[in-house]
Amino acid sequence: MYKRQITADASGYRAKGKNKVDVTWSGASTSSVDIFRNGSLLTTTSNDGAYTDSFRTYGSYTYKVCDQGSNNCSAEMTVNF
């Protein structure tokens, strides 16, 4: 079975004292997508092309977007704070 290619991008910025990461994607084929941060499932959200993560800690964060429940994922993207 042919898997669609998910393309994604992550951009980090600071707002109101928090680190925020906008994750955007296209090409997912399921109604919801799984978003991973540093290899662990962060959230399952609707496949609407955008999600914002928010936290106070610093470091390097790696994200990827996958079709829900599958290993059809985007390339990993790293954001540093």
Side-chain angles (χ1 to χ4, degrees):
M1 182 177 139
Y2 173 73
K3 292 188 184 226
R4 293 180 64 183
Q5 180 65 38
I6 299 172
T7 56
D9 187 46
S11 58
Y13 58 97
R14 286 199 41 89
K16 296 180 180 174
K18 290 186 177 180
N19 297 323
K20 293 184 180 279
V21 177
D22 287 340
V23 180
T24 56
W25 67 89
S26 62
S29 58
T30 52
S31 59
S32 295
V33 296
D34 293 333
I35 298 178
F36 290 83
R37 181 176 71 197
N38 294 346
S40 297
L41 181 63
L42 174 64
T43 189
T44 299
T45 187
S46 61
N47 183 8
D48 59 8
Y51 175 80
T52 300
D53 191 18
S54 178
F55 47 89
R56 293 186 181 278
T57 54
Y58 288 86
S60 182
Y61 298 89
T62 301
Y63 292 85
K64 68 179 178 180
V65 178
C66 304
D67 280 336
Q68 184 179 11
S70 85
N71 60 2
N72 184 36
C73 302
S74 69
E76 291 189 335
M77 308 151 289
T78 300
V79 178
N80 297 301
F81 287 100

